[in-house]
Amino acid sequence: MVASTGGHLKQLHRWRLHLDEVQGPFSWITFDKQQSRSMLADEDVEYVKVIGSRDPRGALRSLPDAARIVRRQAPSAIVSTGSAVALPFMLAGRARGVRCLYIESAARSQGPSLTGRMVARIPGVELYTQYPGWADGQWRYRGSIFDDFMVAPSEPVEDRPLRVVVTLGTLKYGFERLIHRLLEILPADAEVLWQSGSTGVGGLGIEGCESMPEDELAAAMREADVVVSHAGVGSALTALEAGRLPVLVPRLVRFGEHVDDHQNQIATELESRGLAVNVTPDALDLETLLVAAASRVVTGSEVGC
């Protein structure tokens, strides 16, 4: 099981429950981060050098290490959700005749990522999309990671201070627009956990943390009334698993908040499923937060589906 940390690892960790054709035990290849140490605490894990997104040269430089790991572990299959770390392991795996499955991220509703396009050139890799709209003879559709979830009514927020989790992920880009808007609209007595990532909060009168272990962030979301998040797949999935209908605010490239605008695709897809509120910072208000707080998210297994 090969994935970068963040949303890629979060998706793969959940996909392991649905891989009918690939059986465990699983061995994990990822980066050494707080998220991976928390999420994979009881798993067989091998940490590898970080490969940045959109860094195919870095991925190819990692090929000798990937080849050594594949040769030593001799897996029956390699499964990856990306991003660039998938490339060396798919190359090394196919060179040894190992079955390789690449599941494109749920962030990509309109076509494959750069990594997906490169992996698709490797003969024999089985390719899967999470969107039927761009499935074809090469990319197969077998469902989405979001298919597990549905929305149910919740109890109104009690007459007490609003409990809010704000999570901006661990990207190297700031998201000042969202922080500043929340400071404008949140009640003075709101209890807020700020996972602020690379966004500077000095001088704003709040205490932010750059990152949190997966289990601590999930626990905080379960206790919250509402989760406000950038529109990253990992953050959205964590909120859904915690039973919260996330308020998603996409980062935009024109403000220097990401490398492209694919977060719009994520937020739009989840809103169309009724699994998120999709909003811009300017349109975000207290009523939006209260609407999200009035819903809860459940899985099919919880309601007998």
Side-chain angles (χ1 to χ4, degrees):
M1 307 294 275
V2 180
S4 304
T5 44
H8 296 281
L9 180 60
K10 183 69 178 178
Q11 289 178 77
L12 190 59
H13 192 251
R14 191 167 186 89
W15 269 121
R16 83 196 190 285
L17 305 173
H18 304 285
L19 298 175
D20 296 335
E21 299 177 14
V22 179
Q23 303 298 318
F26 298 118
S27 177
W28 295 83
I29 307 295
T30 188
F31 308 145
D32 190 358
K33 303 283 186 178
Q34 269 194 329
Q35 178 207 29
S36 54
R37 290 216 171 250
S38 173
M39 185 182 296
L40 305 176
D42 299 321
E43 304 280 355
D44 177 20
V45 187
E46 184 157 350
Y47 295 112
V48 295
K49 185 184 300 184
V50 173
I51 304 171
S53 62
R54 299 195 174 196
D55 184 15
R57 292 180 180 176
L60 292 176
R61 285 195 296 270
S62 299
L63 182 56
D65 290 335
R68 283 193 291 272
I69 292 171
V70 171
R71 183 171 61 252
R72 172 165 42 81
Q73 293 204 9
S76 58
I78 297 172
V79 184
S80 182
T81 48
S83 54
V85 70
L87 186 59
F89 281 89
M90 296 278 145
L91 284 167
R94 290 307 301 150
R96 298 184 67 84
V98 177
R99 184 184 183 192
C100 291
L101 301 87
Y102 179 81
I103 306 170
E104 184 57 274
S105 171
R108 301 292 174 175
S109 65
Q110 298 176 7
S113 62
L114 174 61
T115 298
R117 294 194 300 271
M118 297 182 72
V119 168
R121 295 175 176 269
I122 304 172
V125 175
E126 300 172 39
L127 304 168
Y128 296 91
T129 170
Q130 298 190 52
Y131 295 92
W134 60 271
D136 56 22
Q138 186 177 31
W139 291 87
R140 288 175 278 184
Y141 173 72
R142 295 285 181 83
S144 164
I145 200 68
F146 299 128
D147 290 344
D148 286 345
F149 303 101
M150 60 190 71
V151 175
S154 182
E155 296 296 325
V157 176
E158 300 172 8
D159 186 16
R160 55 165 171 74
L162 189 68
R163 295 189 296 240
V164 184
V165 168
V166 178
T167 178
L168 306 185
T170 56
L171 296 169
K172 63 181 180 180
Y173 306 97
F175 201 5
E176 288 80 6
R177 289 190 306 137
L178 178 53
I179 294 286
H180 292 161
R181 181 58 177 168
L182 285 167
L183 290 174
E184 292 174 358
I185 68 169
L186 285 171
D189 64 349
E191 300 172 2
V192 187
L193 184 150
W194 301 90
Q195 187 271 302
S196 51
S198 297
T199 304
V201 297
L204 297 180
I206 61 176
E207 184 176 344
C209 59
E210 183 174 352
S211 64
M212 295 180 64
E214 172 79 9
D215 54 351
E216 292 182 19
L217 182 60
M221 288 183 179
R222 288 192 294 270
E223 293 297 320
D225 298 308
V226 62
V227 173
V228 183
S229 174
H230 76 145
V233 173
S235 298
L237 269 175
T238 302
L240 293 170
E241 289 177 348
R244 298 292 165 258
L245 182 75
V247 176
L248 296 182
V249 186
R251 295 170 176 267
L252 296 178
V253 69
R254 71 174 181 269
F255 295 107
E257 296 162 350
H258 215 316
V259 297
D260 60 26
D261 287 339
H262 75 266
Q263 287 201 351
N264 274 326
Q265 299 176 33
I266 303 167
T268 299
E269 169 67 14
L270 284 173
E271 184 179 51
S272 72
R273 289 171 171 261
L275 294 176
V277 178
N278 176 15
V279 66
T280 65
D282 290 343
L284 183 62
D285 56 21
L286 181 58
E287 181 62 26
T288 301
L289 303 186
L290 295 177
V291 167
S295 296
R296 64 188 178 96
V297 174
V298 296
T299 63
S301 61
E302 291 178 85
V303 292
C305 295

